[in-house]
PDB file of all heavy atoms in Angstrom:
ATOM      1  N   LYS A  33      10.974   0.230  -7.015  1.00 98.00           N
ATOM      2  CA  LYS A  33      10.816  -1.206  -7.242  1.00 98.00           C
ATOM      3  C   LYS A  33       9.442  -1.611  -6.711  1.00 98.00           C
ATOM      4  O   LYS A  33       9.130  -1.368  -5.549  1.00 98.00           O
ATOM      5  CB  LYS A  33      11.919  -1.988  -6.532  1.00 98.00           C
ATOM      6  CG  LYS A  33      11.812  -3.487  -6.726  1.00 98.00           C
ATOM      7  CD  LYS A  33      13.029  -4.181  -6.126  1.00 98.00           C
ATOM      8  CE  LYS A  33      12.899  -5.680  -6.063  1.00 98.00           C
ATOM      9  NZ  LYS A  33      12.786  -6.374  -7.292  1.00 98.00           N
ATOM     10  N   LEU A  34       8.654  -2.207  -7.567  1.00 98.00           N
ATOM     11  CA  LEU A  34       7.329  -2.683  -7.179  1.00 98.00           C
ATOM     12  C   LEU A  34       7.464  -4.036  -6.502  1.00 98.00           C
ATOM     13  O   LEU A  34       8.046  -4.963  -7.069  1.00 98.00           O
ATOM     14  CB  LEU A  34       6.421  -2.796  -8.407  1.00 98.00           C
ATOM     15  CG  LEU A  34       5.019  -3.336  -8.145  1.00 98.00           C
ATOM     16  CD1 LEU A  34       4.195  -2.337  -7.338  1.00 98.00           C
ATOM     17  CD2 LEU A  34       4.325  -3.661  -9.465  1.00 98.00           C
ATOM     18  N   PHE A  35       6.931  -4.143  -5.308  1.00 98.00           N
ATOM     19  CA  PHE A  35       6.887  -5.415  -4.586  1.00 98.00           C
ATOM     20  C   PHE A  35       5.437  -5.882  -4.542  1.00 98.00           C
ATOM     21  O   PHE A  35       4.519  -5.078  -4.356  1.00 98.00           O
ATOM     22  CB  PHE A  35       7.410  -5.253  -3.154  1.00 98.00           C
ATOM     23  CG  PHE A  35       8.875  -4.959  -3.081  1.00 98.00           C
ATOM     24  CD1 PHE A  35       9.325  -3.655  -2.955  1.00 98.00           C
ATOM     25  CD2 PHE A  35       9.806  -5.982  -3.135  1.00 98.00           C
ATOM     26  CE1 PHE A  35      10.678  -3.367  -2.896  1.00 98.00           C
ATOM     27  CE2 PHE A  35      11.160  -5.710  -3.070  1.00 98.00           C
ATOM     28  CZ  PHE A  35      11.599  -4.405  -2.953  1.00 98.00           C
ATOM     29  N   ILE A  36       5.248  -7.176  -4.701  1.00 98.00           N
ATOM     30  CA  ILE A  36       3.917  -7.774  -4.651  1.00 98.00           C
ATOM     31  C   ILE A  36       3.769  -8.521  -3.330  1.00 98.00           C
ATOM     32  O   ILE A  36       4.602  -9.361  -2.984  1.00 98.00           O
ATOM     33  CB  ILE A  36       3.668  -8.747  -5.820  1.00 98.00           C
ATOM     34  CG1 ILE A  36       3.922  -8.053  -7.163  1.00 98.00           C
ATOM     35  CG2 ILE A  36       2.260  -9.340  -5.742  1.00 98.00           C
ATOM     36  CD1 ILE A  36       3.019  -6.876  -7.455  1.00 98.00           C
ATOM     37  N   ILE A  37       2.714  -8.196  -2.602  1.00 98.00           N
ATOM     38  CA  ILE A  37       2.396  -8.886  -1.354  1.00 98.00           C
ATOM     39  C   ILE A  37       1.173  -9.757  -1.623  1.00 98.00           C
ATOM     40  O   ILE A  37       0.077  -9.233  -1.862  1.00 98.00           O
ATOM     41  CB  ILE A  37       2.089  -7.885  -0.223  1.00 98.00           C
ATOM     42  CG1 ILE A  37       3.277  -6.955   0.005  1.00 98.00           C
ATOM     43  CG2 ILE A  37       1.704  -8.621   1.055  1.00 98.00           C
ATOM     44  CD1 ILE A  37       2.979  -5.781   0.913  1.00 98.00           C
ATOM     45  N   PRO A  38       1.352 -11.064  -1.601  1.00 98.00           N
ATOM     46  CA  PRO A  38       0.193 -11.941  -1.824  1.00 98.00           C
ATOM     47  C   PRO A  38      -0.682 -12.002  -0.571  1.00 98.00           C
ATOM     48  O   PRO A  38      -0.179 -12.122   0.544  1.00 98.00           O
ATOM     49  CB  PRO A  38       0.824 -13.298  -2.122  1.00 98.00           C
ATOM     50  CG  PRO A  38       2.158 -13.255  -1.457  1.00 98.00           C
ATOM     51  CD  PRO A  38       2.588 -11.816  -1.441  1.00 98.00           C
ATOM     52  N   VAL A  39      -1.974 -11.883  -0.778  1.00 97.00           N
ATOM     53  CA  VAL A  39      -2.934 -12.041   0.314  1.00 97.00           C
ATOM     54  C   VAL A  39      -3.774 -13.256  -0.063  1.00 97.00           C
ATOM     55  O   VAL A  39      -4.926 -13.138  -0.495  1.00 97.00           O
ATOM     56  CB  VAL A  39      -3.789 -10.769   0.517  1.00 97.00           C
ATOM     57  CG1 VAL A  39      -4.685 -10.913   1.743  1.00 97.00           C
ATOM     58  CG2 VAL A  39      -2.900  -9.527   0.649  1.00 97.00           C
ATOM     59  N   ASP A  40      -3.158 -14.411   0.073  1.00 96.00           N
ATOM     60  CA  ASP A  40      -3.744 -15.654  -0.434  1.00 96.00           C
ATOM     61  C   ASP A  40      -5.111 -15.966   0.164  1.00 96.00           C
ATOM     62  O   ASP A  40      -5.991 -16.457  -0.540  1.00 96.00           O
ATOM     63  CB  ASP A  40      -2.794 -16.824  -0.186  1.00 96.00           C
ATOM     64  CG  ASP A  40      -1.502 -16.700  -0.972  1.00 96.00           C
ATOM     65  OD1 ASP A  40      -1.486 -15.979  -1.996  1.00 96.00           O
ATOM     66  OD2 ASP A  40      -0.497 -17.306  -0.557  1.00 96.00           O
ATOM     67  N   VAL A  41      -5.281 -15.705   1.444  1.00 95.00           N
ATOM     68  CA  VAL A  41      -6.542 -16.049   2.100  1.00 95.00           C
ATOM     69  C   VAL A  41      -7.734 -15.327   1.457  1.00 95.00           C
ATOM     70  O   VAL A  41      -8.842 -15.852   1.458  1.00 95.00           O
ATOM     71  CB  VAL A  41      -6.470 -15.778   3.630  1.00 95.00           C
ATOM     72  CG1 VAL A  41      -6.373 -14.292   3.921  1.00 95.00           C
ATOM     73  CG2 VAL A  41      -7.632 -16.418   4.354  1.00 95.00           C
ATOM     74  N   TYR A  42      -7.506 -14.163   0.862  1.00 95.00           N
ATOM     75  CA  TYR A  42      -8.569 -13.421   0.188  1.00 95.00           C
ATOM     76  C   TYR A  42      -8.379 -13.398  -1.332  1.00 95.00           C
ATOM     77  O   TYR A  42      -9.069 -12.655  -2.028  1.00 95.00           O
ATOM     78  CB  TYR A  42      -8.664 -11.998   0.727  1.00 95.00           C
ATOM     79  CG  TYR A  42      -8.958 -11.965   2.216  1.00 95.00           C
ATOM     80  CD1 TYR A  42      -8.098 -11.324   3.100  1.00 95.00           C
ATOM     81  CD2 TYR A  42     -10.079 -12.602   2.732  1.00 95.00           C
ATOM     82  CE1 TYR A  42      -8.356 -11.312   4.460  1.00 95.00           C
ATOM     83  CE2 TYR A  42     -10.338 -12.599   4.089  1.00 95.00           C
ATOM     84  CZ  TYR A  42      -9.478 -11.954   4.952  1.00 95.00           C
ATOM     85  OH  TYR A  42      -9.731 -11.947   6.301  1.00 95.00           O
ATOM     86  N   MET A  43      -7.449 -14.192  -1.826  1.00 95.00           N
ATOM     87  CA  MET A  43      -7.162 -14.308  -3.255  1.00 95.00           C
ATOM     88  C   MET A  43      -6.946 -12.933  -3.900  1.00 95.00           C
ATOM     89  O   MET A  43      -7.524 -12.609  -4.935  1.00 95.00           O
ATOM     90  CB  MET A  43      -8.261 -15.090  -3.973  1.00 95.00           C
ATOM     91  CG  MET A  43      -8.340 -16.521  -3.501  1.00 95.00           C
ATOM     92  SD  MET A  43      -9.583 -17.510  -4.333  1.00 95.00           S
ATOM     93  CE  MET A  43     -11.098 -16.783  -3.755  1.00 95.00           C
ATOM     94  N   ARG A  44      -6.105 -12.144  -3.265  1.00 95.00           N
ATOM     95  CA  ARG A  44      -5.779 -10.797  -3.732  1.00 95.00           C
ATOM     96  C   ARG A  44      -4.275 -10.592  -3.642  1.00 95.00           C
ATOM     97  O   ARG A  44      -3.586 -11.282  -2.902  1.00 95.00           O
ATOM     98  CB  ARG A  44      -6.452  -9.719  -2.852  1.00 95.00           C
ATOM     99  CG  ARG A  44      -7.958  -9.741  -2.829  1.00 95.00           C
ATOM    100  CD  ARG A  44      -8.507  -9.099  -4.088  1.00 95.00           C
ATOM    101  NE  ARG A  44      -9.937  -8.913  -4.045  1.00 95.00           N
ATOM    102  CZ  ARG A  44     -10.820  -9.759  -4.548  1.00 95.00           C
ATOM    103  NH1 ARG A  44     -10.445 -10.861  -5.100  1.00 95.00           N
ATOM    104  NH2 ARG A  44     -12.108  -9.492  -4.510  1.00 95.00           N
ATOM    105  N   ASP A  45      -3.783  -9.622  -4.383  1.00 97.00           N
ATOM    106  CA  ASP A  45      -2.398  -9.176  -4.280  1.00 97.00           C
ATOM    107  C   ASP A  45      -2.400  -7.680  -4.031  1.00 97.00           C
ATOM    108  O   ASP A  45      -3.296  -6.962  -4.495  1.00 97.00           O
ATOM    109  CB  ASP A  45      -1.615  -9.449  -5.569  1.00 97.00           C
ATOM    110  CG  ASP A  45      -1.306 -10.918  -5.784  1.00 97.00           C
ATOM    111  OD1 ASP A  45      -1.189 -11.654  -4.776  1.00 97.00           O
ATOM    112  OD2 ASP A  45      -1.178 -11.333  -6.945  1.00 97.00           O
ATOM    113  N   VAL A  46      -1.367  -7.223  -3.318  1.00 98.00           N
ATOM    114  CA  VAL A  46      -1.183  -5.797  -3.076  1.00 98.00           C
ATOM    115  C   VAL A  46       0.205  -5.430  -3.576  1.00 98.00           C
ATOM    116  O   VAL A  46       1.197  -6.030  -3.155  1.00 98.00           O
ATOM    117  CB  VAL A  46      -1.314  -5.452  -1.577  1.00 98.00           C
ATOM    118  CG1 VAL A  46      -1.034  -3.968  -1.339  1.00 98.00           C
ATOM    119  CG2 VAL A  46      -2.689  -5.834  -1.045  1.00 98.00           C
ATOM    120  N   GLY A  47       0.255  -4.469  -4.475  1.00 98.00           N
ATOM    121  CA  GLY A  47       1.532  -3.938  -4.927  1.00 98.00           C
ATOM    122  C   GLY A  47       1.903  -2.758  -4.053  1.00 98.00           C
ATOM    123  O   GLY A  47       1.046  -1.960  -3.689  1.00 98.00           O
ATOM    124  N   VAL A  48       3.183  -2.653  -3.713  1.00 98.00           N
ATOM    125  CA  VAL A  48       3.655  -1.536  -2.893  1.00 98.00           C
ATOM    126  C   VAL A  48       4.935  -0.989  -3.510  1.00 98.00           C
ATOM    127  O   VAL A  48       5.806  -1.757  -3.926  1.00 98.00           O
ATOM    128  CB  VAL A  48       3.830  -1.947  -1.412  1.00 98.00           C
ATOM    129  CG1 VAL A  48       4.843  -3.053  -1.249  1.00 98.00           C
ATOM    130  CG2 VAL A  48       4.192  -0.769  -0.544  1.00 98.00           C
ATOM    131  N   ILE A  49       5.015   0.343  -3.595  1.00 98.00           N
ATOM    132  CA  ILE A  49       6.165   0.974  -4.227  1.00 98.00           C
ATOM    133  C   ILE A  49       6.412   2.344  -3.606  1.00 98.00           C
ATOM    134  O   ILE A  49       5.476   3.068  -3.282  1.00 98.00           O
ATOM    135  CB  ILE A  49       5.969   1.095  -5.760  1.00 98.00           C
ATOM    136  CG1 ILE A  49       7.244   1.599  -6.440  1.00 98.00           C
ATOM    137  CG2 ILE A  49       4.760   1.943  -6.090  1.00 98.00           C
ATOM    138  CD1 ILE A  49       7.231   1.478  -7.966  1.00 98.00           C
ATOM    139  N   VAL A  50       7.693   2.658  -3.437  1.00 98.00           N
ATOM    140  CA  VAL A  50       8.131   3.999  -3.048  1.00 98.00           C
ATOM    141  C   VAL A  50       8.762   4.595  -4.301  1.00 98.00           C
ATOM    142  O   VAL A  50       9.760   4.065  -4.806  1.00 98.00           O
ATOM    143  CB  VAL A  50       9.162   3.952  -1.893  1.00 98.00           C
ATOM    144  CG1 VAL A  50       9.679   5.351  -1.580  1.00 98.00           C
ATOM    145  CG2 VAL A  50       8.562   3.299  -0.654  1.00 98.00           C
ATOM    146  N   SER A  51       8.153   5.659  -4.813  1.00 98.00           N
ATOM    147  CA  SER A  51       8.607   6.212  -6.092  1.00 98.00           C
ATOM    148  C   SER A  51       7.904   7.537  -6.355  1.00 98.00           C
ATOM    149  O   SER A  51       7.134   8.020  -5.527  1.00 98.00           O
ATOM    150  CB  SER A  51       8.278   5.243  -7.231  1.00 98.00           C
ATOM    151  OG  SER A  51       6.873   5.173  -7.440  1.00 98.00           O
ATOM    152  N   THR A  52       8.142   8.071  -7.549  1.00 98.00           N
ATOM    153  CA  THR A  52       7.299   9.161  -8.033  1.00 98.00           C
ATOM    154  C   THR A  52       5.966   8.544  -8.444  1.00 98.00           C
ATOM    155  O   THR A  52       5.865   7.327  -8.669  1.00 98.00           O
ATOM    156  CB  THR A  52       7.923   9.866  -9.253  1.00 98.00           C
ATOM    157  OG1 THR A  52       7.965   8.935 -10.344  1.00 98.00           O
ATOM    158  CG2 THR A  52       9.323  10.407  -8.942  1.00 98.00           C
ATOM    159  N   TRP A  53       4.947   9.370  -8.570  1.00 98.00           N
ATOM    160  CA  TRP A  53       3.633   8.893  -9.005  1.00 98.00           C
ATOM    161  C   TRP A  53       3.723   8.278 -10.404  1.00 98.00           C
ATOM    162  O   TRP A  53       3.204   7.194 -10.658  1.00 98.00           O
ATOM    163  CB  TRP A  53       2.634  10.043  -8.964  1.00 98.00           C
ATOM    164  CG  TRP A  53       1.254   9.670  -9.397  1.00 98.00           C
ATOM    165  CD1 TRP A  53       0.623  10.063 -10.537  1.00 98.00           C
ATOM    166  CD2 TRP A  53       0.327   8.836  -8.698  1.00 98.00           C
ATOM    167  NE1 TRP A  53      -0.647   9.527 -10.584  1.00 98.00           N
ATOM    168  CE2 TRP A  53      -0.854   8.767  -9.470  1.00 98.00           C
ATOM    169  CE3 TRP A  53       0.379   8.134  -7.492  1.00 98.00           C
ATOM    170  CZ2 TRP A  53      -1.969   8.045  -9.079  1.00 98.00           C
ATOM    171  CZ3 TRP A  53      -0.733   7.401  -7.095  1.00 98.00           C
ATOM    172  CH2 TRP A  53      -1.888   7.356  -7.891  1.00 98.00           C
ATOM    173  N   GLU A  54       4.417   8.968 -11.301  1.00 98.00           N
ATOM    174  CA  GLU A  54       4.526   8.490 -12.676  1.00 98.00           C
ATOM    175  C   GLU A  54       5.226   7.132 -12.735  1.00 98.00           C
ATOM    176  O   GLU A  54       4.814   6.247 -13.492  1.00 98.00           O
ATOM    177  CB  GLU A  54       5.261   9.515 -13.539  1.00 98.00           C
ATOM    178  CG  GLU A  54       4.514  10.815 -13.739  1.00 98.00           C
ATOM    179  CD  GLU A  54       4.533  11.752 -12.521  1.00 98.00           C
ATOM    180  OE1 GLU A  54       5.383  11.570 -11.605  1.00 98.00           O
ATOM    181  OE2 GLU A  54       3.684  12.650 -12.474  1.00 98.00           O
ATOM    182  N   GLN A  55       6.269   6.955 -11.939  1.00 98.00           N
ATOM    183  CA  GLN A  55       6.979   5.673 -11.906  1.00 98.00           C
ATOM    184  C   GLN A  55       6.068   4.563 -11.376  1.00 98.00           C
ATOM    185  O   GLN A  55       6.081   3.451 -11.881  1.00 98.00           O
ATOM    186  CB  GLN A  55       8.249   5.776 -11.044  1.00 98.00           C
ATOM    187  CG  GLN A  55       9.000   4.464 -10.873  1.00 98.00           C
ATOM    188  CD  GLN A  55       9.539   3.889 -12.162  1.00 98.00           C
ATOM    189  OE1 GLN A  55       9.936   4.632 -13.054  1.00 98.00           O
ATOM    190  NE2 GLN A  55       9.560   2.578 -12.273  1.00 98.00           N
ATOM    191  N   ALA A  56       5.279   4.886 -10.380  1.00 98.00           N
ATOM    192  CA  ALA A  56       4.353   3.886  -9.829  1.00 98.00           C
ATOM    193  C   ALA A  56       3.345   3.441 -10.886  1.00 98.00           C
ATOM    194  O   ALA A  56       3.112   2.239 -11.060  1.00 98.00           O
ATOM    195  CB  ALA A  56       3.635   4.461  -8.611  1.00 98.00           C
ATOM    196  N   ILE A  57       2.767   4.402 -11.599  1.00 98.00           N
ATOM    197  CA  ILE A  57       1.779   4.053 -12.627  1.00 98.00           C
ATOM    198  C   ILE A  57       2.448   3.245 -13.743  1.00 98.00           C
ATOM    199  O   ILE A  57       1.891   2.256 -14.223  1.00 98.00           O
ATOM    200  CB  ILE A  57       1.091   5.321 -13.177  1.00 98.00           C
ATOM    201  CG1 ILE A  57       0.398   6.102 -12.047  1.00 98.00           C
ATOM    202  CG2 ILE A  57       0.100   4.963 -14.284  1.00 98.00           C
ATOM    203  CD1 ILE A  57      -0.533   5.297 -11.170  1.00 98.00           C
ATOM    204  N   HIS A  58       3.648   3.645 -14.133  1.00 97.00           N
ATOM    205  CA  HIS A  58       4.383   2.900 -15.153  1.00 97.00           C
ATOM    206  C   HIS A  58       4.643   1.453 -14.693  1.00 97.00           C
ATOM    207  O   HIS A  58       4.521   0.513 -15.478  1.00 97.00           O
ATOM    208  CB  HIS A  58       5.702   3.589 -15.489  1.00 97.00           C
ATOM    209  CG  HIS A  58       6.553   2.820 -16.433  1.00 97.00           C
ATOM    210  ND1 HIS A  58       6.257   2.688 -17.777  1.00 97.00           N
ATOM    211  CD2 HIS A  58       7.690   2.096 -16.227  1.00 97.00           C
ATOM    212  CE1 HIS A  58       7.161   1.919 -18.354  1.00 97.00           C
ATOM    213  NE2 HIS A  58       8.046   1.555 -17.442  1.00 97.00           N
ATOM    214  N   SER A  59       4.962   1.267 -13.425  1.00 97.00           N
ATOM    215  CA  SER A  59       5.313  -0.069 -12.928  1.00 97.00           C
ATOM    216  C   SER A  59       4.124  -1.027 -12.890  1.00 97.00           C
ATOM    217  O   SER A  59       4.309  -2.238 -12.858  1.00 97.00           O
ATOM    218  CB  SER A  59       5.962   0.019 -11.548  1.00 97.00           C
ATOM    219  OG  SER A  59       5.008   0.374 -10.569  1.00 97.00           O
ATOM    220  N   ILE A  60       2.909  -0.494 -12.883  1.00 97.00           N
ATOM    221  CA  ILE A  60       1.714  -1.345 -12.877  1.00 97.00           C
ATOM    222  C   ILE A  60       0.938  -1.249 -14.184  1.00 97.00           C
ATOM    223  O   ILE A  60      -0.198  -1.712 -14.265  1.00 97.00           O
ATOM    224  CB  ILE A  60       0.782  -1.010 -11.689  1.00 97.00           C
ATOM    225  CG1 ILE A  60       0.272   0.428 -11.798  1.00 97.00           C
ATOM    226  CG2 ILE A  60       1.462  -1.275 -10.365  1.00 97.00           C
ATOM    227  CD1 ILE A  60      -0.947   0.711 -10.961  1.00 97.00           C
ATOM    228  N   SER A  61       1.543  -0.681 -15.219  1.00 96.00           N
ATOM    229  CA  SER A  61       0.806  -0.434 -16.470  1.00 96.00           C
ATOM    230  C   SER A  61       0.231  -1.711 -17.073  1.00 96.00           C
ATOM    231  O   SER A  61      -0.803  -1.659 -17.743  1.00 96.00           O
ATOM    232  CB  SER A  61       1.676   0.307 -17.475  1.00 96.00           C
ATOM    233  OG  SER A  61       2.822  -0.438 -17.783  1.00 96.00           O
ATOM    234  N   ASP A  62       0.848  -2.866 -16.821  1.00 94.00           N
ATOM    235  CA  ASP A  62       0.310  -4.122 -17.334  1.00 94.00           C
ATOM    236  C   ASP A  62      -0.989  -4.528 -16.630  1.00 94.00           C
ATOM    237  O   ASP A  62      -1.713  -5.389 -17.120  1.00 94.00           O
ATOM    238  CB  ASP A  62       1.343  -5.241 -17.234  1.00 94.00           C
ATOM    239  CG  ASP A  62       1.767  -5.540 -15.811  1.00 94.00           C
ATOM    240  OD1 ASP A  62       1.830  -4.600 -14.991  1.00 94.00           O
ATOM    241  OD2 ASP A  62       2.043  -6.718 -15.516  1.00 94.00           O
ATOM    242  N   GLN A  63      -1.287  -3.897 -15.503  1.00 92.00           N
ATOM    243  CA  GLN A  63      -2.519  -4.179 -14.754  1.00 92.00           C
ATOM    244  C   GLN A  63      -3.634  -3.193 -15.087  1.00 92.00           C
ATOM    245  O   GLN A  63      -4.728  -3.312 -14.555  1.00 92.00           O
ATOM    246  CB  GLN A  63      -2.233  -4.087 -13.245  1.00 92.00           C
ATOM    247  CG  GLN A  63      -1.205  -5.048 -12.732  1.00 92.00           C
ATOM    248  CD  GLN A  63      -1.774  -6.442 -12.576  1.00 92.00           C
ATOM    249  OE1 GLN A  63      -2.976  -6.630 -12.395  1.00 92.00           O
ATOM    250  NE2 GLN A  63      -0.914  -7.438 -12.652  1.00 92.00           N
ATOM    251  N   LEU A  64      -3.324  -2.197 -15.938  1.00 96.00           N
ATOM    252  CA  LEU A  64      -4.253  -1.100 -16.185  1.00 96.00           C
ATOM    253  C   LEU A  64      -4.833  -1.118 -17.589  1.00 96.00           C
ATOM    254  O   LEU A  64      -4.138  -1.455 -18.544  1.00 96.00           O
ATOM    255  CB  LEU A  64      -3.535   0.243 -15.984  1.00 96.00           C
ATOM    256  CG  LEU A  64      -2.932   0.509 -14.613  1.00 96.00           C
ATOM    257  CD1 LEU A  64      -2.096   1.772 -14.645  1.00 96.00           C
ATOM    258  CD2 LEU A  64      -4.025   0.592 -13.560  1.00 96.00           C
ATOM    259  N   GLU A  65      -6.095  -0.711 -17.694  1.00 94.00           N
ATOM    260  CA  GLU A  65      -6.687  -0.430 -18.991  1.00 94.00           C
ATOM    261  C   GLU A  65      -6.140   0.927 -19.434  1.00 94.00           C
ATOM    262  O   GLU A  65      -5.753   1.747 -18.602  1.00 94.00           O
ATOM    263  CB  GLU A  65      -8.205  -0.387 -18.861  1.00 94.00           C
ATOM    264  CG  GLU A  65      -8.796  -1.714 -18.381  1.00 94.00           C
ATOM    265  CD  GLU A  65     -10.238  -1.591 -17.912  1.00 94.00           C
ATOM    266  OE1 GLU A  65     -10.825  -0.486 -18.012  1.00 94.00           O
ATOM    267  OE2 GLU A  65     -10.769  -2.593 -17.424  1.00 94.00           O
ATOM    268  N   GLU A  66      -6.115   1.191 -20.730  1.00 93.00           N
ATOM    269  CA  GLU A  66      -5.496   2.421 -21.233  1.00 93.00           C
ATOM    270  C   GLU A  66      -6.148   3.681 -20.668  1.00 93.00           C
ATOM    271  O   GLU A  66      -5.468   4.599 -20.238  1.00 93.00           O
ATOM    272  CB  GLU A  66      -5.516   2.453 -22.768  1.00 93.00           C
ATOM    273  CG  GLU A  66      -4.663   3.551 -23.360  1.00 93.00           C
ATOM    274  CD  GLU A  66      -3.195   3.519 -22.928  1.00 93.00           C
ATOM    275  OE1 GLU A  66      -2.620   2.426 -22.813  1.00 93.00           O
ATOM    276  OE2 GLU A  66      -2.631   4.606 -22.695  1.00 93.00           O
ATOM    277  N   ASP A  67      -7.483   3.717 -20.646  1.00 96.00           N
ATOM    278  CA  ASP A  67      -8.156   4.908 -20.104  1.00 96.00           C
ATOM    279  C   ASP A  67      -7.936   5.040 -18.598  1.00 96.00           C
ATOM    280  O   ASP A  67      -7.870   6.149 -18.064  1.00 96.00           O
ATOM    281  CB  ASP A  67      -9.647   4.908 -20.449  1.00 96.00           C
ATOM    282  CG  ASP A  67     -10.388   3.701 -19.914  1.00 96.00           C
ATOM    283  OD1 ASP A  67      -9.776   2.635 -19.735  1.00 96.00           O
ATOM    284  OD2 ASP A  67     -11.611   3.820 -19.681  1.00 96.00           O
ATOM    285  N   GLU A  68      -7.799   3.919 -17.917  1.00 97.00           N
ATOM    286  CA  GLU A  68      -7.514   3.937 -16.480  1.00 97.00           C
ATOM    287  C   GLU A  68      -6.117   4.515 -16.226  1.00 97.00           C
ATOM    288  O   GLU A  68      -5.924   5.336 -15.319  1.00 97.00           O
ATOM    289  CB  GLU A  68      -7.615   2.516 -15.931  1.00 97.00           C
ATOM    290  CG  GLU A  68      -7.407   2.384 -14.451  1.00 97.00           C
ATOM    291  CD  GLU A  68      -7.528   0.941 -13.984  1.00 97.00           C
ATOM    292  OE1 GLU A  68      -7.288   0.000 -14.784  1.00 97.00           O
ATOM    293  OE2 GLU A  68      -7.854   0.762 -12.806  1.00 97.00           O
ATOM    294  N   LYS A  69      -5.159   4.117 -17.046  1.00 97.00           N
ATOM    295  CA  LYS A  69      -3.800   4.646 -16.926  1.00 97.00           C
ATOM    296  C   LYS A  69      -3.791   6.152 -17.150  1.00 97.00           C
ATOM    297  O   LYS A  69      -3.171   6.897 -16.382  1.00 97.00           O
ATOM    298  CB  LYS A  69      -2.877   3.943 -17.926  1.00 97.00           C
ATOM    299  CG  LYS A  69      -1.446   4.409 -17.870  1.00 97.00           C
ATOM    300  CD  LYS A  69      -0.585   3.652 -18.868  1.00 97.00           C
ATOM    301  CE  LYS A  69       0.839   4.163 -18.862  1.00 97.00           C
ATOM    302  NZ  LYS A  69       1.680   3.440 -19.807  1.00 97.00           N
ATOM    303  N   GLU A  70      -4.473   6.600 -18.172  1.00 97.00           N
ATOM    304  CA  GLU A  70      -4.542   8.038 -18.470  1.00 97.00           C
ATOM    305  C   GLU A  70      -5.183   8.801 -17.314  1.00 97.00           C
ATOM    306  O   GLU A  70      -4.720   9.876 -16.930  1.00 97.00           O
ATOM    307  CB  GLU A  70      -5.305   8.273 -19.767  1.00 97.00           C
ATOM    308  CG  GLU A  70      -4.556   7.790 -20.992  1.00 97.00           C
ATOM    309  CD  GLU A  70      -5.398   7.834 -22.258  1.00 97.00           C
ATOM    310  OE1 GLU A  70      -6.491   8.466 -22.246  1.00 97.00           O
ATOM    311  OE2 GLU A  70      -4.984   7.223 -23.251  1.00 97.00           O
ATOM    312  N   TYR A  71      -6.247   8.250 -16.753  1.00 97.00           N
ATOM    313  CA  TYR A  71      -6.927   8.876 -15.617  1.00 97.00           C
ATOM    314  C   TYR A  71      -5.974   9.015 -14.425  1.00 97.00           C
ATOM    315  O   TYR A  71      -5.892  10.078 -13.805  1.00 97.00           O
ATOM    316  CB  TYR A  71      -8.157   8.057 -15.222  1.00 97.00           C
ATOM    317  CG  TYR A  71      -8.766   8.499 -13.919  1.00 97.00           C
ATOM    318  CD1 TYR A  71      -9.622   9.604 -13.865  1.00 97.00           C
ATOM    319  CD2 TYR A  71      -8.480   7.817 -12.742  1.00 97.00           C
ATOM    320  CE1 TYR A  71     -10.169  10.021 -12.667  1.00 97.00           C
ATOM    321  CE2 TYR A  71      -9.027   8.228 -11.533  1.00 97.00           C
ATOM    322  CZ  TYR A  71      -9.860   9.329 -11.504  1.00 97.00           C
ATOM    323  OH  TYR A  71     -10.394   9.744 -10.307  1.00 97.00           O
TER     324      TYR A  71
END
Side-chain angles (χ1 to χ4, degrees):
K33 180 174 170 63
L34 178 69
F35 292 97
I36 305 298
I37 302 169
V39 185
D40 295 338
V41 68
Y42 300 122
M43 296 181 292
R44 298 281 188 265
D45 288 332
V46 177
V48 61
I49 187 168
V50 176
S51 69
T52 65
W53 180 250
E54 293 76 17
Q55 176 63 34
I57 302 308
H58 175 72
S59 71
I60 62 162
S61 60
D62 62 326
Q63 299 282 334
L64 301 172
E65 299 165 3
E66 191 56 39
D67 59 333
E68 183 180 26
K69 181 179 177 180
E70 291 171 13
Y71 170 81

